Amino acid sequence: MGHHRKALRTTAVGAVSATLIAGSALGLAPTAQAASNSVRFVDIKGDGGTVLKANVVAPAGADGTRRYPLLALPTSWGLPQIEYLAQAQKLADSGYVVVTYNVRGFWQSGGEIEVAGPPDIADASKVIDWAIANTPADEGHIGMAGVSYGAGISLLAAAHDKRVKAVASLSGWSDLIGSIYSSRTQHLQAAALLDGAGRVTGRQSEEVRQIFNDFYASNLSKEQEIIDWGKKRSAGTYVDQLNQNGTALMLANAWGDTVFPPNQFGDFYEKLTGPKRLEFRPGDHGTAEITGLFGLPNDVWTDAERWFGHYLKGEDNGIDREQPVRLKSRSTGAYEGYPDWKSVGATRKKIALAGTTTIHTNIDSGADGGVVFLSSILDQVAKIPPIASIPLLPRRWAAVWQSEKYATTQQVRGTAMLHTTLTPTKESGTLVAYLYDVGPLGLGKLVSNAPYTFHGRTPGRPFGVDLELFSTAYDVPAGHRLALVVDTVDPLYIEHNPSGAQLTFSSPANDPSYVSVPLSEQ
């Protein structure tokens, strides 16, 4: 576990630095704009009397003679209450009363960090109560929105408070455990980023501190407890309540989100029966929305305002008639519309994983998912995802299979799925699967990846593995191949391979191994 602690310290330092820089930057631009506008800084008593620092921006000329739709915006993890001021001013100019508030446990707000626990959900209702009593807010037209932590709290609040009629959840989550503990694998850098930022900008509750400690320690005796803790904080647990409430839900996320990967939103979206919209764009956690926080033109915030315009103000702006699933390709930057999530990548092509291959564990082969934030931002801005030379990957530590060269462009859309038979030499282990776009010189650009961990298996006994890779939208050019690479070490994740362990992948005749790649119809 020594290398895990070293990686944790390194990532925590980066997380703290990024949070402080972001907080300082967001503190400058919106404040400069808001200085000449009508902004009230107020204290709101949340659950149990905990003081929440907040600000109110109302439409110009609001004198109490009429009511306006209310938007409540909880802050992101580790960011101050002025985070949304630029957007709050824009929304106020469009006819909303906007209340943004610093969630409990962070910055000047009271209480301790509960990670979207019951007190946070209760706080949201208290903020709405206060706004109805103290601003010209219309209690019949209430929405919530936020980025990251604020997005998750908004979804959870809507499930528990029927007054919330519409939500824009931006870079949020619907399954907390599925996000940072997918396939029983700890997403180390993502967790360390949250932990590090929380320690610097807030005060963690004793329960949260213990959850983090058990998570890092791979304490299997606490695994179910951690899962139950996460379910309580996941909107997917309350999907029936959201459907019963009929809340209009807009979900937006990034393909490369290293904190809340896109798969969980796609699955959640399909279970919703009320008005809904799903958007995916290139980028990492919160990067698709960040320019909007500075008041600059931004597609995500524009769509959020259109969403609220229709479902809170009754505007006939056409958003309800558009294809509800809206994707932006990582390769072309073009938007695509689909009637539902299951229609994305409706055609599938299998790449056979033939033969028997054994790899040794504990060594990073050079195939990696990148670095939290940095890699996906490079992909978003410059279309440079993590790269590996596929011919040079050491076959002792990496299993490699490749498709034929494609005669035409292959538009990968949706969720690739790996099916294989695995025989371990130890009872526990971790593998990481990578899908690469391989050019003529053998240089592979990362299309997707996902980790998988097992415990309690009988050494020498084969078992089936089914693994969903993280959803994406990527075009493989004509003349290129797709390659599936599997190794056992990636800095993004905690690995559970005992020293000297080996993993053997086979393809039995009665249960052949493959990776199923979702393709858009062309």
Side-chain angles (χ1 to χ4, degrees):
M1 293 295 292
H3 62 291
H4 295 158
R5 287 193 292 270
K6 181 179 179 182
L8 172 60
R9 287 195 298 270
T10 302
T11 305
V13 169
V16 170
S17 301
T19 301
L20 293 177
I21 292 170
S24 300
L26 290 173
L28 293 175
T31 303
Q33 178 185 7
S36 61
N37 295 307
S38 178
V39 180
R40 278 199 296 147
F41 290 87
V42 300
D43 290 349
I44 298 176
K45 287 187 178 180
D47 185 50
T50 297
V51 174
L52 305 174
K53 296 295 182 177
N55 53 67
V56 180
V57 186
D63 57 7
T65 59
R66 58 167 291 193
R67 294 281 171 173
Y68 301 89
L70 169 66
L71 290 177
L73 280 64
T75 51
S76 302
W77 184 275
L79 292 185
Q81 70 189 85
I82 55 175
E83 174 188 6
Y84 300 118
L85 276 187
Q87 278 300 320
Q89 183 60 55
K90 284 190 170 186
L91 291 164
D93 290 344
S94 297
Y96 298 90
V97 171
V98 185
V99 179
T100 79
Y101 68 96
N102 228 114
V103 292
R104 65 170 52 225
F106 285 100
W107 294 86
Q108 291 87 9
S109 284
E112 296 178 323
I113 299 170
E114 301 286 347
V115 192
D120 292 299
I121 299 170
D123 284 346
S125 292
K126 292 289 188 181
V127 169
I128 291 171
D129 293 340
W130 183 92
I132 292 172
N134 295 278
T135 75
D138 183 350
E139 62 182 338
H141 297 84
I142 297 172
M144 290 190 68
V147 176
S148 183
Y149 196 39
I153 290 175
S154 294
L155 282 176
L156 288 162
H160 290 82
D161 193 328
K162 295 180 180 179
R163 296 176 297 177
V164 180
K165 304 301 183 185
V167 168
S169 176
L170 316 179
S171 287
W173 76 91
S174 59
D175 182 351
L176 187 58
I177 296 301
S179 295
I180 62 173
Y181 189 56
S182 65
S183 298
R184 302 182 77 181
T185 310
Q186 295 98 325
H187 293 215
L188 174 64
Q189 291 188 12
L193 183 144
L194 297 174
D195 187 11
R199 290 188 191 215
V200 170
T201 62
R203 302 164 301 281
Q204 296 177 352
S205 69
E206 183 177 342
E207 179 188 34
V208 169
R209 183 68 260 144
Q210 189 60 52
I211 289 290
F212 272 118
N213 290 341
D214 291 338
F215 182 86
Y216 295 135
S218 306
N219 188 345
L220 291 180
S221 68
K222 296 287 187 177
E223 183 180 40
Q224 190 58 50
E225 183 179 321
I226 293 173
I227 290 172
D228 293 340
W229 176 88
K231 283 183 176 179
K232 186 184 294 185
R233 291 158 169 81
S234 299
T237 303
Y238 310 102
V239 67
D240 289 343
Q241 291 171 226
L242 286 165
N243 288 337
Q244 185 176 357
N245 294 346
T247 316
L249 301 178
M250 172 182 157
L251 313 172
N253 210 331
W255 294 121
D257 195 320
T258 43
V259 180
F260 303 128
N263 298 45
Q264 37 107 32
F265 256 5
D267 296 339
F268 176 64
Y269 176 86
E270 285 297 294
K271 297 175 183 176
L272 298 172
T273 58
K276 58 184 179 177
R277 182 177 177 92
L278 178 64
E279 300 184 354
F280 285 125
R281 295 173 175 83
D284 205 311
H285 186 63
T287 64
E289 300 88 6
I290 194 167
T291 56
L293 296 179
F294 290 91
L296 300 174
N298 181 276
D299 289 355
V300 190
W301 285 101
T302 296
D303 284 350
E305 185 173 346
R306 293 175 63 224
W307 189 252
F308 290 128
H310 180 74
Y311 288 102
L312 294 184
K313 296 169 68 177
E315 295 175 353
D316 185 16
N317 55 25
I319 197 167
D320 58 317
R321 296 188 294 275
E322 296 173 359
Q323 295 273 48
V325 175
R326 182 173 167 85
L327 313 181
K328 188 175 184 181
S329 167
R330 291 167 52 199
S331 303
T332 66
Y335 281 103
E336 304 166 359
Y338 298 86
D340 48 41
W341 176 243
K342 62 178 177 287
S343 297
V344 176
T347 300
R348 286 192 167 266
K349 183 176 292 187
K350 288 184 178 181
I351 301 172
L353 310 181
T356 299
T357 303
T358 298
I359 61 173
H360 296 254
T361 65
N362 310 122
I363 299 293
D364 190 340
S365 71
D368 286 324
V371 178
V372 64
F373 279 133
L374 177 61
S375 298
S376 292
I377 291 175
L378 283 173
D379 186 38
Q380 175 185 0
V381 174
K383 295 183 174 59
I384 304 176
I387 293 173
S389 175
I390 305 305
L392 297 181
L393 290 175
R395 274 25 179 198
R396 179 179 175 85
W397 296 296
V400 180
W401 298 268
Q402 297 193 70
S403 72
E404 76 284 358
K405 286 184 180 180
Y406 295 115
T408 59
T409 298
Q410 304 293 295
Q411 296 181 331
V412 180
R413 300 289 186 274
T415 310
M417 303 181 69
L418 166 66
H419 173 74
T420 190
T421 296
L422 173 62
T423 305
T425 59
K426 305 289 185 180
E427 61 90 22
S428 293
T430 297
L431 62 90
V432 185
Y434 309 89
L435 190 65
Y436 283 101
D437 160 24
V438 185
L441 299 180
L443 200 64
K445 295 182 177 180
L446 187 64
V447 177
S448 183
N449 79 100
Y452 178 91
T453 293
F454 60 90
H455 296 288
R457 292 291 179 174
T458 302
R461 179 177 296 178
F463 63 94
V465 171
D466 290 288
L467 175 63
E468 284 191 354
L469 277 63
F470 300 137
S471 305
T472 195
Y474 182 97
D475 291 2
V476 180
H480 286 212
R481 308 173 187 266
L482 279 171
L484 182 80
V485 176
V486 179
D487 73 0
T488 64
V489 176
D490 190 307
L492 286 173
Y493 313 112
I494 290 179
E495 50 100 1
H496 299 267
N497 297 295
S499 180
Q502 299 177 32
L503 303 178
T504 297
F505 302 92
S506 57
S507 183
N510 62 345
D511 186 20
S513 296
Y514 59 85
V515 59
S516 175
V517 181
L519 301 174
S520 175
E521 294 183 0
Q522 300 178 50

